[in-house]
Amino acid sequence: MNCPHLQLKTFAPSVHGLICHGPPSTLIVSSPRLIVSNPSTRRSIILPKIDANHECIYHHMGYDPIDGDYKVLCMMKGMHVYQRRYLAKELQVFTLRKGNSWRMVEDFPPHCLCHEDTPDLCINGVLYYVAMLDTASNHAVMSFDVRSEKFDLIKGGPDGDLNPKLTRYEGKPALLFPGSDYRINLWVIEDAAKHEWSKMSYDVSSTSLIRNPYFHHCVFCTNDAGEIVLAPDFVRTKTFVVLYYHPKKNTMRSVVIKGIRDRKIPLWDEASYHRIISVFSGQVDNLMFL
């Protein structure tokens, strides 16, 4: 797919078949534009300009299965609070329909996105993303009801600056991250309303994962088969390997994907060239016309 703008970065997964691309949060643009793409039809649309007042932005996309609406949530960074992180100065929302425009979200809790490369997640009309509050540096999970446009903080979960990956495990939102001594930690939100979590930790030192250089330099997610998916977050060689670890069976399989780096690279640029990779599971075909 060809994107009409350069410097676009995608960490967000597919949301009911569509993907939202935008500029990296480190790039200050006076009127940034977001692009929504449909990989099934290979068509894209450019959303109206955002009045960001030269602020850096984060963006998320959610889907409401009741009304069939796609909504894009855009967060403008504001007050500095901790280690170059900023609380949201303002939030705007856009409904993916013809003739619509960006609308201000009037009521939202003070928070910010924790890490740009931590993907969001939409399950049953609720958008989840990892956030940081104004009171501590620990992670929190923020939920946004796409239909009502209401926010809710899910308390609990792992402590510390761990940069976890938000994923889906057995139909529930979960945080996934590598631990020390070749362990994979999984925190599952069992009941968001009651702030109930379950924690699982898997020792993979006896598997071939311990010999794989991707373990501490990879992207994580899970698939519907209950496997933990590991893949490198960049490509410097022609071989791209995706690993599938089943924690309950303690088995691992690997898949080599060809064609990711087929185009010719000048010899003078071979050492420095790499391509940023985002890996997600659960892509569905959607013939929606954009």
Side-chain angles (χ1 to χ4, degrees):
M1 297 173 59
N2 293 322
C3 289
H5 292 279
L6 297 177
Q7 293 181 309
L8 292 178
K9 209 168 185 178
T10 301
F11 287 114
S14 169
V15 179
H16 198 63
L18 303 186
I19 298 175
C20 186
H21 315 265
S25 63
T26 55
L27 183 66
I28 299 178
V29 183
S30 59
S31 298
R33 305 290 290 268
L34 301 179
I35 296 176
V36 175
S37 300
N38 187 339
S40 299
T41 62
R42 301 198 177 192
R43 300 292 182 181
S44 303
I45 59 170
I46 304 175
L47 302 187
K49 291 181 179 180
I50 306 167
D51 185 11
N53 297 319
H54 292 85
E55 300 284 354
C56 298
I57 68 169
Y58 299 114
H59 65 276
H60 312 278
M61 186 168 68
Y63 175 72
D64 170 27
I66 298 177
D67 293 335
D69 283 335
Y70 292 86
K71 292 184 180 180
V72 178
L73 182 67
C74 187
M75 178 189 301
M76 261 63 71
K77 294 197 299 187
M79 183 178 63
H80 174 268
V81 288
Y82 175 75
Q83 289 186 356
R84 301 182 182 177
R85 298 173 186 170
Y86 297 77
L87 291 181
K89 183 178 182 180
E90 62 183 39
L91 293 175
Q92 299 182 39
V93 66
F94 181 86
T95 304
L96 205 63
R97 292 177 184 164
K98 288 185 177 180
N100 276 5
S101 58
W102 289 97
R103 298 178 285 106
M104 287 289 184
V105 178
E106 300 298 334
D107 185 24
F108 59 90
H111 69 284
C112 69
L113 193 68
C114 227
H115 296 280
E116 182 187 31
D117 59 347
T118 300
D120 50 50
L121 180 70
C122 189
I123 302 177
N124 298 328
V126 180
L127 176 68
Y128 301 90
Y129 57 92
V130 181
M132 189 188 75
L133 309 181
D134 60 343
T135 56
S137 60
N138 292 339
H139 294 115
V141 175
M142 188 67 68
S143 68
F144 174 74
D145 189 286
V146 179
R147 194 163 189 250
S148 66
E149 299 183 3
K150 299 296 183 181
F151 290 87
D152 192 20
L153 173 67
I154 303 174
K155 300 178 182 179
D159 295 329
D161 192 8
L162 302 171
N163 191 16
K165 305 299 181 183
L166 187 61
T167 186
R168 182 198 311 258
Y169 185 74
E170 296 182 344
K172 301 174 183 178
L175 297 178
L176 182 68
F177 54 93
S180 59
D181 299 327
Y182 288 93
R183 302 189 73 86
I184 294 179
N185 298 317
L186 182 67
W187 289 67
V188 182
I189 301 176
E190 299 292 348
D191 191 320
K194 297 180 179 179
H195 311 283
E196 293 181 352
W197 296 71
S198 64
K199 176 187 176 182
M200 289 162 276
S201 183
Y202 303 102
D203 184 358
V204 297
S205 59
S206 61
T207 71
S208 58
L209 285 176
I210 195 172
R211 298 187 300 273
N212 195 290
Y214 301 149
F215 183 75
H216 287 287
H217 303 282
C218 65
V219 290
F220 287 78
C221 65
T222 59
N223 61 17
D224 292 338
E227 295 172 307
I228 297 174
V229 185
L230 303 92
D233 58 358
F234 60 88
V235 175
R236 289 187 184 274
T237 65
K238 292 184 178 180
T239 301
F240 185 78
V241 180
V242 179
L243 304 176
Y244 296 84
Y245 173 69
H246 200 296
K248 293 183 178 180
K249 299 178 181 178
N250 195 29
T251 58
M252 193 272 290
R253 60 189 179 94
S254 62
V255 176
V256 177
I257 300 178
K258 299 180 180 180
I260 289 184
R261 190 183 165 184
D262 281 346
R263 77 179 183 88
K264 295 182 179 180
I265 309 298
L267 292 177
W268 57 268
D269 196 32
E270 184 71 23
S272 61
Y273 176 83
H274 69 274
R275 204 173 278 178
I276 299 297
I277 299 294
S278 297
V279 179
F280 306 101
S281 64
Q283 162 70 11
V284 297
D285 288 334
N286 186 339
L287 299 181
M288 177 182 179
F289 180 77
L290 294 178

